[in-house]
Amino acid sequence: MRDINIVGPTDFTDIKIEEPQDYAAGLPAVKIALGHAMKEMGIAKSIATLSKLNQKGGFDCPGCAWPDPTHRSSLGEFCENGVKAIAEEATNKRVTPEFFKKYSITEMSNWTDFQIGKSGRITAPMILRPGSHHYEPIEWSEAFQVIADELKQLDDPNQGVFYTSGRSSNEAAFLYGLFIRAFGTNNMPDCSNMCHESSGAGLFETIGIGKGSVTLDDFQDAEVVMVIGQNPGTNHPRMLSALEKLKAKGGKVITVNPLEEAALVRFKNPQEPKGIIANGTAITDLFLQVRINQDVALLKLLLKKLADLDVERGGVFDHKFIEEKTQGFEEVLAELDQYSENELLELTGLSAEKVDECVELLANNKRIIICWAMGLTQHKNGVDNIKACVNLLLAKGSIGIKGGGTCPVRGHSNVQGDRTVGITHHVSKKLNESFERVFDFQPPAEEGLDVVHSIKAMHEGDAKVFVALGGNFLSAASDTIYTGEALMNCNLTVSISTKLNRTHLVPGKTSLILPTLGRSEADKTNGKERFVTVENSMGRVHQSQGRLQPASDNLMSEPEIVANMAEAYFGDESKIQWLELGINYDLTREKISQVFNGFDNYSERAKKAGFDLPNHTRTGDFSKLPGGKAKFSVTPLPAHDLDKDEFLLMTIRTHDQFNTTIYGLDDRYRGIFNERRVVMINADEAKELELKKSDVVNLTSTYDRQVRRAENFLVIPYNIPKGNLACYFPEANVLIPHDQFADKSNTPISKSVKVRIEKVS
Ligand code: SF4
């Protein structure tokens, strides 16, 4: 075994703490964004890059999946974090073969994720041979042959695991899924397994589609938007513009979260003069600081109180809608009788007045949107959290109307599109038949492995080859040490990447890094430019056309890499013209349109304004569901059985990161600078425990008597409910057991981990 530091260093970086901010964006956001752009790209390239970001005919932001408005501002349709994301990709720094010669993987594994990420763009395909500590260059053709040989040596195709990150285009993801199925497995874990899988599962069961029902325009028509378990200011910043417009039209925003996040207090829109020179817009009308994972208790309490009001004064619920379009309402009401209002209220940690205020807003309005993100999905009862939201919307008749519906806000730019075009470990008979019809082979009928089960299979030696289309699997997954051991147990790990990340440094016996084009880079074949397509969080498919000079002449596009992998594996044995599909994206899109509904005339429509995929919930059509109706669900309260000295910990992101990419060391809105190893604890509780600001603690989690430890965290007394803690992701991922995940969706419980605090000094 190589000597690798799987989790990286645990040293401190000289913390500075200030008061949390009470607004987001404004002039500081512009300055900081431009600072990142200049530092990574210089002036000329920054101007060239930002003028194309999220513009028609330009490239899609590789950050989150928030949709672009129809009319784009020439001032720029991006946020601070979009600029940081693109600056990371378009950086002038390079990771060359000489770089790998200089630094061993052991040495680099002792760098922080921030340092690793800042190394720059990888310029050539690299291989780490068995026993070696240095990656060395390899020709593309040899790299593909290494993969093909290793895959051929497997006893069973199910010994291969093929991960997809949410950055990959529809074209790359479709070809990848096609190759994996043709290879003979459904082992297609993807990043969605770790984030919105609970949303997909909950929504599919209740309203028949695993996606949200609203469009961006619905935000202008809504009367009330509930934002639950989501921090848009950092993770989906341009959602704030939509909320700002809603507020201008008199709409109300209810925020439900254990932390009060600056962006939901006040937003200073940098594209508006009043956002620069004046006070901006107060976003939240009502903040409910709910305890971690007590959302079901809150949603039950709201429904119970609304039901009483409905009896008392009538007109609160939409009985016609309930009668005609739904099933299971009576069971849900009957189950609510089991609980007293006080009991539910106590669980939430909220005041009765605040809850009543919320009830009034919901009772008096019908056009209600509920938005959510990981704060709802990454719990053992993540799927029930979603169903509880749906219950509320169905009772109000708020789904299938203008200005109302479900809005799971996706975190990675094409995570939804990858799913749409076939990246899933689940088996659908209908989908298999479509692939068979179009490509004349029988896809495997056996359910594949998702993320948590892939990790277990690799750890136990049941999976031996790991291929990742993008992403930083090690840092994204739970139980970092176990996951690292799983990767190192593989015979071969392959990463199709733009930049260096920790997963490359925790390799299988042989490891390949295949460098690919970034979203922003011109993608040409025979001198002709190509474009790819992506789907945003609201089901709209559109083109993304890279414009910049690629980081190296030795990069391949993702579809070409996948196609070459398939060609090397199948040779003449396959009827599929892999190389042609990898080169000709129009042909790939045509094949997508033959397999999936809603993609007719794909290339043409994508090139123009883009198009919306079919979504029956938008017209309130639930006829495809069993019984032909949307489904209310009984959602039990979560049980944590905390010991007296245990807390519930949620992992969160700083404002200087996007998923596993660390742009900087500050979390400006929360007033925490130059440090990531921190634990936020209720200020009164810290006093009771005699913990002071910057005291050093270790955190432990104990599940099935196995103790996991995260060392060296600095205490920050903070405005967070008692009994709750917050730490940054991925530093705290070591505490999350690989076998603790949500029922039905298998999403790791990253937002409700039972932990203890041990004081060090
Ligand atoms: S809101 Fe999301 S997609 Fe839009 S610019 Fe910001 S990070 Fe990129």
Side-chain angles (χ1 to χ4, degrees):
M1 267 284 185
R2 297 178 177 106
D3 180 19
I4 300 289
N5 183 348
I6 296 175
V7 296
T10 57
D11 310 330
F12 297 123
T13 43
D14 201 9
I15 193 168
K16 188 174 147 221
I17 306 172
E18 292 178 1
E19 282 300 306
Q21 281 191 11
D22 57 4
Y23 75 91
L27 203 50
V30 178
K31 280 191 195 157
I32 288 167
L34 292 180
H36 273 268
M38 296 302 174
K39 199 165 164 200
E40 298 292 338
M41 306 185 279
I43 292 184
K45 195 169 174 189
S46 293
I47 295 170
T49 306
L50 297 180
S51 65
K52 295 287 178 215
L53 178 57
N54 288 337
Q55 294 293 348
K56 287 174 183 159
F59 43 85
D60 188 56
C61 171
C64 79
W66 189 255
D68 300 313
T70 315
H71 302 291
R72 320 268 162 106
S73 162
S74 52
L75 270 180
E77 278 299 343
F78 45 78
C79 68
E80 174 192 336
N81 280 357
V83 176
K84 289 176 187 166
I86 206 70
E88 286 284 310
E89 180 183 296
T91 179
N92 292 329
K93 295 180 196 133
R94 297 289 178 265
V95 173
T96 59
E98 291 70 41
F99 175 98
F100 284 112
K101 200 171 175 190
K102 185 169 175 195
Y103 301 111
S104 70
I105 52 165
T106 304
E107 186 175 356
M108 289 188 280
S109 74
N110 284 305
W111 298 353
T112 63
D113 285 21
F114 172 60
Q115 289 168 302
I116 294 168
K118 287 292 173 197
S119 304
R121 291 287 302 277
I122 303 161
T123 58
M126 305 297 299
I127 185 166
L128 184 75
R129 299 193 189 271
S132 172
H133 284 75
H134 286 266
Y135 278 95
E136 56 194 87
I138 182 172
E139 292 299 322
W140 279 103
S141 54
E142 193 194 338
F144 294 128
Q145 205 49 55
V146 168
I147 300 170
D149 291 347
E150 205 64 59
L151 289 176
K152 281 180 186 165
Q153 278 178 36
L154 296 177
D155 300 330
D156 184 319
N158 289 321
Q159 291 180 335
V161 163
F162 299 86
Y163 174 72
T164 310
S165 104
R167 183 184 50 80
S168 301
S169 64
N170 280 0
E171 292 75 7
F174 175 76
L175 282 185
Y176 192 50
L178 178 64
F179 165 56
I180 298 161
R181 287 179 175 90
F183 171 66
T185 182
N186 282 310
N187 289 348
M188 280 180 260
D190 71 341
C191 63
S192 190
N193 295 154
M194 296 182 270
C195 60
H196 269 294
E197 193 74 39
S198 302
S199 304
L203 291 173
F204 192 76
E205 215 182 296
T206 53
I207 57 173
I209 186 167
K211 301 180 182 185
S213 70
V214 300
T215 66
L216 196 50
D217 289 342
D218 284 316
F219 278 77
Q220 305 321 307
D221 294 312
E223 292 163 320
V224 174
V225 172
M226 280 184 94
V227 181
I228 312 187
Q230 190 204 348
N231 178 15
T234 288
N235 301 316
H236 321 96
R238 278 161 73 242
M239 178 176 163
L240 298 174
S241 308
L243 294 178
E244 187 185 39
K245 286 185 191 145
L246 166 101
K247 295 301 301 278
K249 286 180 118 184
K252 300 285 182 197
V253 176
I254 302 168
T255 300
V256 181
N257 203 40
L259 297 179
E260 185 171 38
E261 304 289 11
L264 287 167
V265 178
R266 182 167 289 278
F267 171 49
K268 295 191 179 187
N269 188 343
Q271 290 178 327
E272 304 281 342
K274 73 171 182 181
I276 298 288
I277 50 174
N279 257 347
T281 305
I283 297 288
T284 298
D285 296 279
L286 176 65
F287 172 49
L288 302 178
Q289 190 168 23
V290 70
R291 286 197 182 112
I292 288 178
N293 199 209
Q294 290 304 342
D295 309 278
V296 163
L298 173 63
L299 291 158
K300 275 185 190 297
L301 180 58
L302 294 174
L303 203 58
K304 193 173 170 69
K305 281 179 165 270
L306 287 167
D308 289 346
L309 264 191
D310 192 54
V311 172
E312 213 178 284
R313 66 187 197 208
V316 171
F317 290 153
D318 185 338
H319 290 285
K320 187 167 179 285
F321 177 88
I322 294 169
E323 176 67 28
E324 289 174 4
K325 302 264 187 177
T326 73
Q327 52 192 313
F329 187 47
E330 293 307 320
E331 286 90 326
V332 165
L333 287 186
E335 199 257 354
L336 286 178
D337 286 341
Q338 285 181 25
Y339 311 100
S340 73
E341 287 185 5
N342 279 344
E343 170 187 2
L344 294 171
L345 185 66
E346 204 166 303
L347 286 170
T348 65
L350 299 167
S351 72
E353 292 72 30
K354 289 251 180 188
V355 171
D356 287 342
E357 224 182 296
C358 184
V359 169
E360 276 306 314
L361 278 172
L362 296 173
N364 297 332
N365 294 290
K366 183 176 168 72
R367 298 200 303 271
I368 301 166
I369 295 176
I370 301 185
C371 307
W372 68 85
M374 309 303 80
L376 284 196
T377 61
Q378 293 178 326
H379 303 277
K380 179 132 179 45
N381 72 333
V383 175
D384 277 347
N385 281 336
I386 311 312
K387 290 181 177 177
C389 292
V390 172
N391 282 349
L392 187 59
L393 292 168
L394 290 178
K396 292 289 302 175
S398 299
I399 300 186
I401 60 168
K402 225 176 164 191
T406 54
C407 182
V409 188
R410 309 279 167 172
H412 212 155
S413 53
N414 198 36
V415 62
Q416 189 160 304
D418 293 346
R419 268 294 162 94
T420 301
V421 298
I423 297 298
T424 174
H425 59 284
H426 294 302
V427 178
S428 145
K429 198 165 165 258
K430 203 170 143 218
L431 182 58
N432 276 3
E433 282 167 3
S434 296
F435 272 109
E436 190 173 353
R437 173 174 45 77
V438 177
F439 293 103
D440 199 16
F441 75 92
Q442 245 187 354
E446 190 186 329
E447 193 88 352
L449 299 174
D450 59 10
V451 164
V452 291
H453 291 100
S454 293
I455 294 169
K456 188 162 184 257
M458 292 189 284
H459 202 275
E460 294 183 356
D462 294 333
K464 298 175 193 296
V465 173
F466 172 81
V467 181
L469 181 61
N472 177 2
F473 187 78
L474 177 74
S475 297
S478 55
D479 219 343
T480 316
I481 293 174
Y482 184 88
T483 301
E485 289 167 354
L487 288 168
M488 291 199 288
N489 208 21
C490 288
N491 291 341
L492 174 69
T493 49
V494 181
S495 298
I496 299 167
S497 305
T498 53
K499 297 188 66 193
L500 190 67
N501 67 50
R502 187 167 291 284
T503 302
H504 304 141
L505 310 176
V506 183
K509 293 173 188 81
T510 300
S511 178
L512 284 162
I513 305 175
L514 306 181
T516 190
L517 290 173
R519 212 35 98 69
S520 56
E521 290 168 333
D523 181 355
K524 291 185 185 169
T525 180
N526 297 327
K528 225 178 125 203
E529 287 193 352
R530 299 176 285 192
F531 69 88
V532 293
T533 55
V534 291
E535 176 185 338
N536 69 33
S537 203
M538 293 175 186
R540 190 165 183 82
V541 179
H542 61 95
Q543 74 159 337
S544 176
Q545 174 101 52
R547 295 292 184 187
L548 305 181
Q549 176 75 21
S552 148
D553 291 339
N554 204 7
L555 306 182
M556 267 199 197
S557 74
E558 283 187 335
E560 282 175 338
I561 292 174
V562 173
N564 275 280
M565 226 159 50
E567 179 71 14
Y569 179 78
F570 288 110
D572 296 336
E573 284 168 29
S574 176
K575 293 179 202 153
I576 300 167
Q577 301 300 310
W578 293 105
L579 295 182
E580 203 184 334
L581 285 169
I583 289 170
N584 184 348
Y585 301 171
D586 283 326
L587 179 63
T588 299
R589 285 188 280 268
E590 198 184 310
K591 295 292 177 193
I592 294 175
S593 72
Q594 289 168 10
V595 174
F596 298 96
N597 288 335
F599 287 93
D600 303 341
N601 208 4
Y602 188 172
S603 289
E604 279 313 302
R605 287 198 295 159
K607 247 189 277 182
K608 290 180 184 157
F611 56 94
D612 292 320
L613 288 170
N615 187 328
H616 57 85
T617 56
R618 289 192 178 143
T619 52
D621 173 9
F622 306 112
S623 57
K624 287 195 186 116
L625 280 165
K629 291 179 168 186
K631 199 176 144 210
F632 278 94
S633 321
V634 171
T635 55
L637 291 171
H640 292 290
D641 304 322
L642 291 168
D643 281 346
K644 252 189 165 171
D645 57 345
E646 280 184 317
F647 294 78
L648 271 192
L649 166 87
M650 59 178 183
T651 62
I652 57 175
R653 294 163 173 82
T654 73
H655 191 60
D656 259 358
Q657 82 180 91
F658 180 72
N659 293 339
T660 55
T661 308
I662 315 294
Y663 305 132
L665 296 177
D666 297 341
D667 194 6
R668 165 170 113 251
Y669 295 157
R670 300 194 184 105
I672 301 164
F673 296 86
N674 202 36
E675 184 58 79
R676 296 184 49 85
R677 301 195 71 81
V678 299
V679 53
M680 289 165 232
I681 179 171
N682 175 279
D684 293 336
E685 207 159 30
K687 258 189 216 153
E688 288 162 24
L689 293 171
E690 298 181 1
L691 289 172
K692 295 187 303 304
K693 194 197 291 186
S694 297
D695 277 354
V696 180
V697 296
N698 293 334
L699 301 168
T700 60
S701 67
T702 309
Y703 287 82
D704 296 329
R705 286 197 228 124
Q706 191 179 339
V707 181
R708 287 171 175 78
R709 181 176 294 272
E711 292 188 341
N712 278 2
F713 285 78
L714 296 174
V715 169
I716 301 198
Y718 204 80
N719 178 13
I720 183 171
K722 276 192 162 183
N724 294 170
L725 303 175
C727 283
Y728 297 135
F729 152 106
E731 286 78 359
N733 286 358
V734 282
L735 294 165
I736 309 165
H738 61 93
D739 55 1
Q740 296 294 318
F741 41 76
D743 299 329
K744 292 194 179 174
S745 68
N746 300 347
T747 300
I749 55 158
S750 308
K751 296 283 187 199
S752 50
V753 195
K754 295 194 283 187
V755 300
R756 291 187 172 84
I757 300 177
E758 294 172 353
K759 189 168 174 183
V760 176
S761 65

